[in-house]
Amino acid sequence: MTDLFVKVKAQLEKQLPFVLYAKPNADRMIGLFQTDDSLHFLKDFGEKGFVFAPFDGDLIPYIPQAESEVYVEMIKETDFLLSSNPIIEVDESAKKDFEALVTAGVEAIAQGAFEKVVLSRKTMVVVTSFELETVFNKLVAFYPTAFKYCFFHPKIGMWAGASPEQFLKINQESIQTVALAGTQAVTDVTNVVWQEKEIEEQQLVTDFIIQSLADKVSELTVSSPYSVQAGNLWHIKTDITAAIGSDSNLEEIIKALHPTSAVCGLPKAAAKNFILRNEPYDRSYYSGFLGELNIDLATFRTEQSDLFVNLRCMKINDKQVELFIGCGITKDSVPEAEFIETVNKSMTMRKVL
């Protein structure tokens, strides 16, 4: 056990907050260990530390850098092998419920309530044991291009994940974000072909970001869409960069984008209202955002933030693990196909369990 995980074990024994994470394509993992069990919330987005924001709600927890110890450790090669997808026995009741939810979403789109809505579900996985060091090292080994993390607070619980989606990278001069949507399973075929439904869905995400940032930035640059692999899935991705407007601030930009149309829908207010009224559970921190706020904890450079969308994630409750999975619904969505997409997305976390 390395020094970093010795510290993780000590924090858990004392029930003290911490976060452990590794950025996409990074050669090191970072641990931020709070020295007491206080639950801190952002007041003005000027705070420095690691933020863990929910999908909905004004209270945004964070671990303050000033009240924590920072550990940085080089990532070591492991001999973990990425297994083939496990065979899952389909829960017919869950399938029926989710397909009914998707049907309701498609009907609402047909009635003009919104153009797109992102609907989700959670599923329970029973594990004989949960060894954090092993699970986190598997996340790092299996998903090098994702943002890997484990967040613990005794008043929130333990969450872990491997997100393929940057929410926002921002410094005093510029911002970077991405539009990520469309999903298909990785196969032996090298040429990825997208259907009109996926192309349209991804374009809606891109348009939302551009419109949300239009009056807050300048020199907006948008790449052409391209296919990107995240674990066992392909997605369509567009890179977006811009210079920050002189009158803009971090709080305004974050609130304009969160929740993004990639996890909520369009128009945002109507889609979010549908989600809150129709999804049969509380998303909590799933599809919120997380990451470094106003500081780079590897170098302690300030005035920059590196935030990600909390996707491909799970909440760990002793020997029961909750997986959170969703998909974008448009007028052309087929309920059974969308359920299968959630099953495919669940493999990201199932493979590390």
Side-chain angles (χ1 to χ4, degrees), residues 115 179 200-213 240 261 266:
E115 292 180 78
E200 177 184 296
E201 179 189 347
Q202 198 271 343
Q203 188 60 51
L204 288 173
V205 175
T206 302
D207 292 344
F208 161 77
I209 294 173
I210 293 171
Q211 291 163 11
S212 299
L213 293 176
I240 300 169
S261 62
L266 282 172

Side-chain angles (χ1 to χ4, degrees), residues 1-144:
M1 186 178 290
T2 65
D3 291 345
L4 185 61
F5 286 101
V6 168
K7 182 63 175 177
V8 167
K9 184 179 180 182
Q11 289 287 109
L12 286 173
E13 288 174 350
K14 297 175 184 177
Q15 289 290 285
L16 294 177
F18 71 89
V19 63
L20 180 65
Y21 64 97
K23 293 184 181 182
N25 301 309
D27 62 356
R28 66 198 67 193
M29 57 182 76
I30 300 169
L32 185 65
F33 301 94
Q34 193 172 307
T35 54
D36 63 25
D37 66 352
S38 300
L39 181 56
H40 299 273
F41 295 101
L42 296 184
K43 295 178 180 177
D44 59 10
F45 287 80
E47 297 86 350
K48 294 178 174 63
F50 190 98
V51 65
F52 196 65
F55 169 71
D56 181 47
D58 296 325
L59 292 177
I60 301 179
Y62 80 109
I63 296 179
Q65 177 259 327
E67 298 180 32
S68 306
E69 298 176 82
V70 179
Y71 282 55
V72 180
E73 193 166 277
M74 299 302 292
I75 294 172
K76 298 181 176 66
E77 283 193 31
T78 64
D79 57 1
F80 293 121
L81 297 176
L82 186 59
S83 61
S84 57
N85 289 342
I87 297 173
I88 301 172
E89 185 175 334
V90 173
D91 182 335
E92 291 298 334
S93 176
K95 182 175 184 291
K96 180 181 178 181
D97 290 345
F98 189 71
E99 289 178 2
L101 178 63
V102 172
T103 298
V106 172
E107 290 175 350
I109 292 171
Q111 294 166 5
F114 35 76
E115 292 180 78
K116 171 191 172 182
V117 65
V118 181
L119 299 176
S120 69
R121 65 185 181 93
K122 68 177 180 178
T123 185
M124 192 77 71
V125 177
V126 177
V127 294
T128 54
S129 63
F130 184 89
E131 172 51 52
L132 176 55
E133 182 175 4
T134 300
V135 169
F136 190 79
N137 281 325
K138 282 185 177 181
L139 286 172
V140 170
F142 294 171
Y143 308 116

Side-chain angles (χ1 to χ4, degrees), residues 47-306:
E47 297 86 350
K48 294 178 174 63
F50 190 98
V51 65
F52 196 65
F55 169 71
D56 181 47
D58 296 325
L59 292 177
I60 301 179
Y62 80 109
I63 296 179
Q65 177 259 327
E67 298 180 32
S68 306
E69 298 176 82
V70 179
Y71 282 55
V72 180
E73 193 166 277
M74 299 302 292
I75 294 172
K76 298 181 176 66
E77 283 193 31
T78 64
D79 57 1
F80 293 121
L81 297 176
L82 186 59
S83 61
S84 57
N85 289 342
I87 297 173
I88 301 172
E89 185 175 334
V90 173
D91 182 335
E92 291 298 334
S93 176
K95 182 175 184 291
K96 180 181 178 181
D97 290 345
F98 189 71
E99 289 178 2
L101 178 63
V102 172
T103 298
V106 172
E107 290 175 350
I109 292 171
Q111 294 166 5
F114 35 76
E115 292 180 78
K116 171 191 172 182
V117 65
V118 181
L119 299 176
S120 69
R121 65 185 181 93
K122 68 177 180 178
T123 185
M124 192 77 71
V125 177
V126 177
V127 294
T128 54
S129 63
F130 184 89
E131 172 51 52
L132 176 55
E133 182 175 4
T134 300
V135 169
F136 190 79
N137 281 325
K138 282 185 177 181
L139 286 172
V140 170
F142 294 171
Y143 308 116
T145 62
F147 179 79
K148 292 78 59 180
Y149 81 92
C150 177
F151 179 96
F152 171 75
H153 196 293
K155 299 179 176 74
I156 290 175
M158 180 181 287
W159 288 70
S163 175
E165 184 168 349
Q166 179 95 48
F167 172 55
L168 195 62
K169 192 169 187 176
I170 186 168
N171 56 36
Q172 289 179 304
E173 299 175 351
S174 64
I175 68 169
Q176 301 173 35
T177 187
V178 301
L180 192 76
T183 301
Q184 61 176 279
V186 171
T187 64
D188 295 333
V189 178
T190 55
N191 185 30
V192 183
V193 178
W194 295 99
Q195 301 300 314
E196 189 61 35
K197 183 258 182 188
E198 286 88 2
I199 295 172
E200 177 184 296
E201 179 189 347
Q202 198 271 343
Q203 188 60 51
L204 288 173
V205 175
T206 302
D207 292 344
F208 161 77
I209 294 173
I210 293 171
Q211 291 163 11
S212 299
L213 293 176
D215 62 344
K216 297 174 179 60
V217 302
S218 60
E219 302 174 33
L220 193 68
T221 303
V222 182
S223 76
S224 298
Y226 61 97
S227 298
V228 61
Q229 185 175 343
N232 64 315
L233 300 172
W234 285 104
H235 303 291
I236 311 173
K237 183 178 181 180
T238 298
D239 298 312
I240 300 169
T241 60
I244 297 176
S246 58
D247 297 329
S248 298
N249 61 50
L250 180 60
E251 182 175 5
E252 287 178 346
I253 292 171
I254 286 177
K255 288 185 174 180
L257 292 176
H258 176 69
T260 71
S261 62
V263 298
C264 183
L266 282 172
K268 182 164 73 172
K272 186 177 180 181
N273 185 50
F274 184 88
I275 290 167
L276 296 176
R277 286 189 294 107
N278 289 275
E279 283 188 350
Y281 79 105
D282 180 3
R283 287 191 180 188
S284 185
Y285 295 94
Y286 164 64
S287 66
F289 64 87
L290 73 166
E292 295 171 331
L293 186 69
N294 297 313
I295 191 164
D296 180 335
L297 288 167
T299 63
F300 290 98
R301 288 198 300 264
T302 59
E303 305 305 329
Q304 60 184 39
S305 301
D306 202 1

